[in-house]
């Protein structure tokens, strides 16, 4: 594609006209030398005529030789199948490979490309451009569209499956107990459990009152299972007292708050649990096993799928109906990035290093693709088309070789004839 674009830029009417003009100029000069050579036979024989004839003759030889050399690159001269002519049509694939190897070996080297990147100073220039309000707004707008396009192609089920599979593999690879323990310890230290407890207490009490008959029956069955003494002790009246005491205890815990003794005991239990998860290997193994069971549970997978579907659905709705504030927020993020790239040298150095590493990786791993690109593209061209494209691209300069050959040949003829004159043979 690159080679098509480069050579395609020359394979146009203007380039072909320029090539034809140079061919006519070179051929005209050769014809002039031939005409001059013929003219010398009509002139009187003297030293001046000898110089003129020698210059014309040598100019014709030089011009013809260079015409043959230039023409032989692209076709058979005069249509004659002379060996080692029409080199481009015959060797176009080899030439393309050599060209690609030359470019990748001498120009697309990691050091050379990185040096050019450094000279360009892209981080500072990009940062200055991102600081322009119009640019920041445009980039923010395009980012919004790009994110919408990516999110729109995501498969909800695939995303949830990938997340769960990653969690499963990570659970097999390392323990999460320490992280869970540290999280629990931080939560308890910051009283994060209080809202949950305070939200649960009135509901527990309400459920206890609303389902008193069921609780009475289950509690009686539990006490009966403890033995004959418990069965004799657990009369209906005493079971009712236990239920009443439980209801009053829940009400007291709700009213007194976190200073209630039972609430404090609950805090201590959570603290001991957090410490055990961090420092007790057996507790850690237990929580890891629980986490693996949760990750393997089909119901958990279905729940995660629903969560991902709802979240991505909400995100898609937001992106399908972008607000000005969203684009402005993205624009501010882009502008802030540009400001850091310009004003924060440490940040700019980090980006420079990352960019250089990316460039080195790309050149090291993909420079060979340049060879393949040139070779494959040229191999698709018919021989005649390839020859025509290349001749149109470089043939104009080659015509100067023909002109120079004629001129240098004429000068050489004059020099040789001068030597002959000095030697007494002119």
């Amino acid at each position: 594609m690159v080679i098509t674009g480069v050579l395609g830029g020359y394979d146009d009417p203007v380039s072909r006209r320029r090539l034809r003009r140079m061919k006519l100029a070179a051929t005209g000069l050769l014809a002039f030398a031939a005409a001059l050579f013929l003219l010398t036979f009509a002139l009187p024989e003297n030293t001046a005529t000898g110089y003129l004839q020698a210059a014309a003759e040598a100019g014709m030889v030089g011009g013809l030789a260079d015409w043959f050399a230039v023409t032989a690159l692209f076709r058979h001269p005069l249509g004659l199948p002379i060996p080692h002519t029409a080199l481009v049509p015959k060797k176009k694939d080899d030439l393309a490979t050599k060209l690609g190897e030359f470019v990748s070996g001498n120009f697309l080297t990691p050091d050379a490309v990185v040096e050019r990147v450094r000279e360009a100073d892209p981080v500072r220039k990009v940062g200055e451009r991102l600081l322009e309000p119009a640019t920041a707004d445009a980039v923010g707008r395009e980012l919004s569209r790009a994110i919408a396009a990516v999110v729109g192609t995501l498969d909800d089920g695939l995303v949830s499956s990938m997340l769960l599979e990653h969690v499963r593999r990570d659970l097999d690879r390392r323990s999460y107990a320490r992280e869970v323990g540290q999280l629990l310890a931080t939560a308890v230290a910051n009283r994060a459990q209080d809202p949950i407890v305070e939200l649960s207490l009135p509901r527990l009490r309400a459920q206890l009152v609303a389902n008193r008959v069921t609780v009475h029956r289950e509690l009686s069955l539990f006490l009966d299972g403890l033995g004959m003494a418990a069965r004799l002790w657990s009369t209906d009246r005493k079971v009712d007292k236990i239920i009443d005491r439980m209801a009053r205890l829940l009400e007291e815990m709700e009213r007194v708050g976190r200073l209630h003794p039972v609430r404090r005991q609950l805090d201590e239990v959570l603290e001991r649990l957090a410490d055990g998860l961090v420092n007790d290997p057996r507790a850690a193994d237990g929580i890891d096993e629980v986490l693996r069971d949760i990750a393997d549970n089909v119901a958990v997978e279905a729940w995660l799928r629903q969560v991902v579907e709802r979240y991505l659905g909400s995100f898609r709705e937001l992106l399908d109906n972008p607000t000005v504030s969203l684009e402005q927020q993205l624009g501010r993020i882009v502008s802030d990035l540009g400001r850091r790239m310009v004003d924060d040298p440490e940040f700019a150095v980090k980006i420079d290093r990352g960019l250089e590493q990316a460039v080195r990786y790309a050149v090291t791993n993909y420079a060979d693709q340049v060879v393949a690109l040139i070779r494959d593209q040229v191999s698709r061209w018919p021989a005649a088309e390839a020859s025509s494209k290349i001749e149109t691209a470089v043939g104009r300069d080659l015509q100067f070789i023909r002109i120079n050959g004629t001129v240098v040949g004429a000068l050489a003829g004059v020099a040789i004839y001068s030597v002959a004159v000095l030697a007494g043979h002119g």
Side-chain angles (χ1 to χ4, degrees), residues 123 336-354:
V123 174
D336 182 65
L337 176 63
R339 186 174 296 103
R340 293 190 64 190
M341 293 169 71
V342 173
D343 298 334
D344 187 344
E346 185 177 350
F347 182 70
V349 168
K350 288 181 180 179
I351 297 182
D352 274 327
R353 289 175 181 170

Side-chain angles (χ1 to χ4, degrees), residues 353-367:
R353 289 175 181 170
L355 180 60
E356 289 182 10
Q357 290 175 356
V359 168
R360 287 185 181 277
Y361 177 85
V363 173
T364 301
N365 291 276
Y366 298 104

Side-chain angles (χ1 to χ4, degrees), residues 16-234:
R16 288 193 292 270
R17 282 198 301 270
R18 295 175 64 191
L19 174 61
R20 282 196 297 270
R21 283 198 299 267
M22 287 306 302
K23 282 185 175 182
L24 288 174
T27 303
L29 185 59
L30 178 59
F32 175 76
L36 187 60
F37 177 73
L38 294 176
L39 179 63
T40 60
F41 290 103
L43 298 175
E45 294 185 6
N46 52 40
T47 302
T49 301
Y51 272 107
L52 194 60
Q53 189 175 59
E57 184 177 8
M60 280 195 304
V61 173
L64 283 170
D66 286 338
W67 166 82
F68 182 90
V70 171
T71 303
L73 290 173
F74 305 105
R75 64 186 63 83
H76 295 298
L78 301 176
L80 301 176
I82 302 172
H84 304 294
T85 58
L87 295 179
V88 170
K90 291 179 181 178
K91 301 287 187 178
K92 66 181 181 70
D93 293 343
D94 293 338
L95 290 172
T97 300
K98 295 297 182 183
L99 175 61
E101 291 174 349
F102 178 78
V103 171
S104 63
N106 294 277
F107 298 99
L108 286 180
T109 62
D111 290 339
V113 177
V114 166
E115 183 63 28
R116 292 303 299 269
V117 171
R118 287 174 181 166
E119 291 175 359
D121 194 12
V123 174
R124 180 183 59 80
K125 292 179 180 177
V126 171
E128 291 175 349
R129 188 65 184 272
L130 293 179
L131 280 174
E132 299 175 3
T135 302
D137 292 343
V139 173
R141 187 164 52 252
E142 294 303 321
L143 278 176
S144 158
R145 294 173 181 172
I147 294 172
V150 171
V151 174
T153 61
L154 293 177
D155 180 85
D156 300 345
L158 181 61
V159 172
S160 62
S161 297
M162 289 177 62
L163 288 173
L164 199 56
E165 183 62 25
H166 173 73
V167 171
R168 289 168 179 163
R169 290 182 180 180
D170 212 39
L171 283 170
D172 291 335
R173 192 167 52 87
R174 66 189 183 94
S175 173
Y176 271 80
R178 186 176 184 85
E179 285 82 355
V180 173
Q182 291 174 340
L183 177 63
L184 180 59
T186 302
V188 173
N190 290 278
R191 311 300 307 174
Q193 75 276 19
D194 288 346
I196 299 176
V197 174
E198 290 165 0
L199 184 67
S200 302
L201 288 175
R203 285 167 173 75
L204 285 174
R205 186 163 58 86
Q207 289 295 320
L208 180 63
V209 173
N211 297 280
R212 185 183 184 92
V213 175
T214 302
V215 174
H216 187 287
R217 182 176 67 251
E218 295 299 325
L219 183 57
S220 297
L221 291 174
F222 171 74
L223 292 173
D224 288 346
L226 295 179
M228 180 61 70
R231 188 179 303 113
L232 293 174
W233 178 84
S234 58

Side-chain angles (χ1 to χ4, degrees), residues 7 28 52 56 76 104 129 216 224 242 268 270 279-280 294 302 383:
L7 293 184
L52 194 60
H76 295 298
S104 63
R129 188 65 184 272
H216 187 287
D224 288 346
I242 294 174
E268 293 175 1
L270 293 175
N279 300 304
D280 186 351
I294 292 174

